[in-house]
Amino acid sequence: MSELEDLEKRLKELTVERNRLARETKSLHELIRRAKVATTTMATLRSVLSEEKSRQEKYLGLLLENCSDIIIMLDRDGRFAYCTEVFLKKAKIPNFGLVNYRTAMEVFPYFGRKAILRLARAYRQAMEQNVDRHLDMRLDLANDGSFRDY
């Protein structure tokens, strides 16, 4: 084979290689474009979801702030996570910070063992069954002798 033939053969190989690289480069550019679109879409979706979550939290906050019922929300450990202002007023507790992350026994030691055990049992059942629980009890929230049905 002559030197010219070797060069022509090498030129063909390089042309094939260049064409392959051009296809791969085009494919990579398309992947990058798609990744940018996906990233932009995800960022937009996160923003929309965040705004919606914020809107719903604000609505729920307003709803709970203006609720005339006593509502107490406990975390999985049975500690206060939220309560309505009505509850705080009835229990004569000046602010939520005094009950936040405390158990019912810590907040109401005067309820007595029987009432606390009943509350604990109802709470445990609600957690195990993953359901809301309604419990009727006669309590003296303010510890002033004024028992009421709750």
Side-chain angles (χ1 to χ4, degrees):
M1 220 188 286
S2 71
E3 192 175 322
L4 183 59
E5 290 173 339
D6 285 342
L7 287 174
E8 285 176 350
K9 182 179 176 188
R10 182 72 181 130
L11 181 61
K12 262 187 185 176
E13 290 172 353
L14 289 173
T15 302
V16 169
E17 182 68 13
R18 188 199 64 181
N19 289 342
R20 185 186 66 76
L21 290 173
R23 284 191 307 272
E24 286 184 14
T25 302
K26 185 177 178 183
S27 178
L28 289 173
H29 281 294
E30 180 60 20
L31 286 173
I32 290 170
R33 186 191 68 75
R34 287 181 186 175
K36 286 180 182 177
V37 168
T39 301
T40 302
T41 302
M42 288 300 292
T44 302
L45 183 57
R46 278 191 197 104
S47 174
V48 167
L49 289 175
S50 177
E51 289 172 11
E52 179 62 17
K53 182 180 177 186
S54 178
R55 188 183 68 75
Q56 287 179 358
E57 286 173 351
K58 184 178 178 181
Y59 176 76
L60 181 60
L62 288 171
L63 188 65
L64 290 172
E65 283 176 24
N66 294 298
C67 180
S68 61
D69 293 330
I70 291 177
I71 298 174
I72 299 170
M73 292 181 203
L74 305 173
D75 66 13
R76 291 205 171 271
D77 297 322
R79 297 180 179 281
F80 278 80
Y82 177 83
C83 62
T84 55
E85 284 295 318
V86 174
F87 166 78
L88 293 174
K89 286 178 185 169
K90 295 275 185 194
K92 297 183 181 169
I93 298 170
N95 62 63
F96 179 68
L98 296 174
V99 296
N100 189 21
Y101 204 67
R102 294 176 67 202
T103 65
M105 184 58 116
E106 292 170 317
V107 175
F108 303 110
Y110 50 84
F111 272 8
R113 183 166 170 74
K114 190 175 181 180
I116 294 295
L117 286 175
R118 186 169 174 218
L119 285 169
R121 188 173 32 255
Y123 176 76
R124 222 176 7 264
Q125 287 173 347
M127 293 303 293
E128 288 169 359
Q129 298 167 7
N130 197 26
V131 295
D132 291 337
R133 185 86 161 100
H134 178 84
L135 188 64
D136 292 319
M137 291 184 78
R138 186 163 182 75
L139 300 172
D140 178 10
L141 280 181
N143 195 26
D144 62 2
S146 58
F147 282 86
R148 293 191 53 201
D149 292 322
Y150 290 98

